[in-house]
Amino acid sequence: MTAVQTTPATSPLSAPDAHIAAFLFLEARLADEARYSEWEQLWAADALYWVPIHPEDDPKTNLSYVYDNRHRIKSRVAQLNTGNRHSQTPPSVMRRLLSNMEVLADDDDTVTVGSNFALFEYRYTQRIWAGRVIHTVRRTADGLELVSKTVHLVGAGGPVETMAFLI
């Protein structure tokens, strides 16, 4: 009889500290509550907000659902603040959950956190958006700022209804 080899269990990743987790919960809450100007203030000057169609895509050569630099984030927020978006009349009511937060990288001034999320959206009918979100947060003398947010949707690559809100 041959002995069965088992792969050793990988070490669990650590959870983010309370300040980082609270910052990520704040980002989610501001988006859910349509507090767009406050949400925008969380972002760093060199920010990147990306929702790829496929995780392995290069956003410079492949189409993305969202690929916003800091200037485009500001423009997106200005559009949302007008209230003149047909695709959001009436506006969606949203609540999202972040869970399974794990620190993927941490150095002197930045921490990258991976989380699972579920977003419940109601506009005429309820929809559930789910996936994995990767946040990179920078520690500064003035506090925390969001450097990047990448959202990998479970349903990416398939038919996706309009995302005229902050995912």
Side-chain angles (χ1 to χ4, degrees), residues 42-44 46-49 110 136-138 145-149:
L42 300 177
W43 289 87
D46 57 343
L48 181 64
Y49 174 35
T110 61
T136 299
V137 177
R138 181 180 296 133
E145 61 183 10
L146 189 54
V147 176
S148 69
K149 178 178 179 179

Side-chain angles (χ1 to χ4, degrees), residues 54-70:
H54 303 287
E56 66 281 354
D57 283 352
D58 177 350
K60 294 178 180 147
T61 58
N62 298 98
L63 185 63
S64 298
Y65 296 117
V66 175
Y67 186 62
D68 290 357
N69 62 16
R70 185 62 177 87

